Amino acid sequence: MSHMADFAQTMANAGNLSEEAQVKAGAPMTGDMEQEHKEFVQTISRMLESGEIDITKPETFLNKPIYEQFEPEWKTKTDLALINIATLLGHIYDFYKSKQTPDSCPQLANMIEELWQMKMRIEEHGDVFKF
């Protein structure tokens, strides 16, 4: 059977998916996140609310002594990443705090993972972020 026929058959059977399978397919916006995601979003919420980090001042995300030891090339890469990280942190925080969205759901987990990936690319060279 060709891939298209497979796909067509799968789609034809989609009406018979169990609720669990529909959740996996991304239908409803409910679901849970890993403990690690929950702890991370709670940590950044606390840091933002206490003023320890400030989305409008991305340099507040940095462990300055580590940043200062970076090679110029990695300072530049870090500086560029800060803007994207600030934007994503803002989205994560707003999503988490919004009463219109569940506190833990796949969408929030995906945003957190995207942020972790940006962070990890930089932190291969030093633990430069406070979170």
Side-chain angles (χ1 to χ4, degrees):
M1 187 145 80
S2 76
H3 286 300
M4 282 312 291
D6 270 351
F7 181 73
Q9 187 60 44
T10 302
M11 296 289 52
N13 293 336
N16 305 330
L17 285 178
S18 69
E19 191 176 334
E20 185 183 359
Q22 286 175 28
V23 169
K24 284 190 179 133
M29 227 184 84
T30 56
D32 206 359
M33 300 190 302
E34 301 289 323
Q35 189 60 31
E36 194 180 4
H37 293 89
K38 291 177 186 172
E39 287 169 9
F40 180 76
V41 80
Q42 289 162 358
T43 298
I44 61 165
S45 295
R46 216 173 25 252
M47 292 173 91
L48 287 164
E49 288 162 8
S50 72
E52 185 180 344
I53 59 173
D54 182 341
I55 290 168
T56 64
K57 298 184 186 98
E59 66 276 9
T60 60
F61 305 165
L62 296 173
N63 285 323
K64 287 287 190 197
I66 292 167
Y67 177 77
E68 294 306 328
Q69 292 173 9
F70 270 14
E71 298 290 318
E73 172 195 1
W74 281 99
K75 282 185 181 172
T76 302
K77 288 182 179 183
T78 302
D79 294 345
L80 292 172
L82 281 177
I83 296 155
N84 293 330
I85 288 173
T87 302
L88 201 48
L89 261 184
H91 291 315
I92 291 167
Y93 180 74
D94 291 345
F95 197 95
Y96 180 64
K97 286 298 176 181
S98 169
K99 295 296 164 234
Q100 274 68 59
T101 57
D103 280 355
S104 46
C105 65
Q107 289 85 343
L108 184 56
N110 288 341
M111 285 191 278
I112 292 169
E113 284 175 20
E114 191 180 331
L115 186 129
W116 283 346
Q117 285 173 356
M118 281 188 240
K119 193 171 120 57
M120 283 189 298
R121 281 196 289 272
I122 302 289
E123 290 196 327
E124 287 173 6
H125 296 271
D127 191 13
V128 75
F129 297 109
K130 291 179 182 174
F131 45 82

